[in-house]
């Protein structure tokens, strides 16, 4: 009898705890920052249909970075976890350091580009790979059986990939660590890259102070290149940007737009952006380090609004603890 009563009490407490959690979640008026629990960095934010998706790096020791999770939301406030959308079991040549996913949709399929193995030279196996799935939540399977880009070109370590689709339907891959940034044209089936009209395959578009984490988007006829500066484990990690007239620039550094606030968090960097379809509303999704935490892998994913001035310049982003209000896609 005592065991039965104890089990009933345990069940009641669990139900009460779950009920409180669900009620608290339902009552949220803003996303809060971080937007979901856990150590996550380098978030890729996308809109597919009427759903927001965030694909971050699992922030841990390199040998433990053998999978990627995803999160989805219909309002930017309530997020659902999709664990292990891709892992090294599905990508036989990758064995550690799965980093900075970039996700795009093409012809009804979803492609996730990722860095793996943190190669240090052209004799090591690794670099930027691709996996494919029928749904944004996966499961993703290795697409090529080898890296798409597995060599250093123009001094750029093959990591931190971003996929940009221009208005004419051309897909580009923008990538690079070790203070070098390249852009290349993806071919039609994403099995390789193809030369530009001048015959060059990998163009260097490295702006001043570039370190890693490039992002490209287009707004009102202008191309924006954003990137991270500083050291990723330090408090001064930050995001700067440039504007150009084509995907290849030239890109002249304009200013820093995202950085630490000693009253909120440090190490704010390696980001992506969301544009609400058919509007001029913009959000920046990024990682940062909680105050007082100095573990290099203790990074969390956050979101705040991003605004432009009348000249198209990006205004400095105010990082917050509140995050953003609910925003459904119409």
């Amino acid at each position: 009898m005592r065991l039965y009563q104890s089990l009933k009490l345990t069940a009641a407490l669990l139900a009460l705890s779950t009920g409180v959690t669900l009620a608290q979640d339902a009552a949220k008026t803003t996303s809060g920052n971080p937007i979901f629990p856990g150590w996550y960095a380098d978030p890729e934010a996308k809109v597919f249909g009427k759903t927001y998706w965030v694909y971050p790096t699992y922030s841990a020791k390199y040998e433990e970075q053998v999978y990627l999770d995803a999160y989805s939301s219909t309002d930017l406030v309530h997020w659902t976890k999709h664990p292990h959308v891709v892992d090294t079991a599905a990508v036989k040549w990758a064995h550690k350091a799965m980093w900075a996913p970039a996700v795009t949709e093409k012809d009804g399929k979803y492609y996730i580009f990722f860095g793996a193995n943190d190669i240090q030279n052209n004799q090591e196996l690794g670099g930027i790979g691709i996996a494919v799935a029928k749904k944004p939540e996966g499961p993703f399977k290795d697409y090529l059986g080898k890296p798409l880009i597995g060599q250093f070109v123009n001094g750029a370590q093959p990591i931190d990939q971003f996929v940009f689709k221009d208005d004419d339907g051309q897909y580009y891959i923008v990538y690079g660590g070790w203070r070098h940034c390249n852009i290349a044209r993806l071919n039609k089936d994403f099995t390789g890259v193809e030369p530009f009209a001048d015959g060059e395959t990998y163009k260097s578009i490295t702006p001043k102070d570039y370190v890693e984490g490039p992002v490209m988007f287009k707004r009102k006829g202008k191309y924006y290149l954003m990137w991270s500066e500083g050291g990723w484990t330090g408090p001064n990690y930050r995001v700067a940007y440039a504007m150009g007239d084509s995907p290849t620039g030239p890109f002249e550094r304009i200013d820093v737009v995202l950085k630490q606030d000693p009253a909120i968090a440090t190490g704010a960097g390696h980001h992506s952006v969301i544009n609400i379809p058919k509007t001029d509303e913009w959000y920046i999704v990024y990682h940062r380090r909680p105050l007082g935490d100095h573990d290099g892998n203790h990074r969390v994913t956050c979101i705040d609004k991003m605004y432009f001035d009348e000249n198209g310049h990006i205004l400095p982003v105010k990082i917050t603890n509140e995050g953003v209000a609910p925003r459904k896609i119409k």
Side-chain angles (χ1 to χ4, degrees), residues 25-208:
D25 190 55
K28 289 176 68 177
T29 57
T30 66
S31 65
N33 276 326
I35 56 176
F36 40 73
W39 302 124
Y40 290 104
D42 317 330
E44 161 81 328
K46 301 293 291 189
V47 173
F48 295 128
K50 294 187 178 182
T51 303
Y52 305 97
W53 288 85
V54 172
Y55 301 82
T57 298
Y58 170 55
S59 190
K61 295 178 180 179
Y62 292 0
E63 290 74 20
E64 298 172 17
Q65 293 177 317
V66 293
Y67 64 86
L68 297 169
D69 295 331
Y71 287 82
S72 64
S73 173
T74 57
D75 64 359
L76 295 177
V77 171
H78 304 92
W79 293 88
T80 299
K81 183 177 181 178
H82 305 271
H84 290 222
V85 296
V86 67
D87 56 35
T88 52
V91 185
K92 300 302 183 184
W93 56 267
H95 61 86
K96 68 174 183 178
M98 293 191 83
W99 287 345
V103 184
T104 195
E105 183 274 334
K106 187 177 189 294
D107 300 330
K109 294 182 179 180
Y110 297 85
Y111 296 85
I112 188 166
F113 294 67
F114 56 88
N117 298 352
D118 184 33
I119 63 171
Q120 303 294 299
N121 56 63
N122 287 339
Q123 284 67 56
E124 296 183 53
L125 175 63
I128 297 170
I130 313 176
V132 63
K134 296 179 180 179
K135 300 182 293 185
E137 63 269 32
F140 288 85
K141 301 299 181 182
D142 192 5
Y143 184 55
L144 300 176
K146 62 181 181 179
L148 170 74
I149 302 173
Q151 301 280 294
F152 285 70
V153 182
N154 300 326
Q157 186 188 27
I159 62 167
D160 288 5
Q161 49 291 316
F162 183 83
V163 176
F164 170 68
K165 181 185 179 182
D166 207 348
D167 296 339
D168 61 1
Q170 176 65 53
Y171 289 81
Y172 297 85
I173 185 165
V174 187
Y175 75 93
W178 289 16
R179 299 182 180 274
H180 294 279
C181 183
N182 289 336
I183 187 169
R185 290 165 51 95
L186 288 163
N187 64 16
K188 290 184 178 180
D189 57 6
F190 289 174
T191 57
V193 296
E194 58 189 21
F196 288 88
D198 63 3
E200 192 174 14
T201 302
Y202 295 92
K203 287 185 177 291
S204 175
I205 56 170
T206 310
K208 181 179 178 293

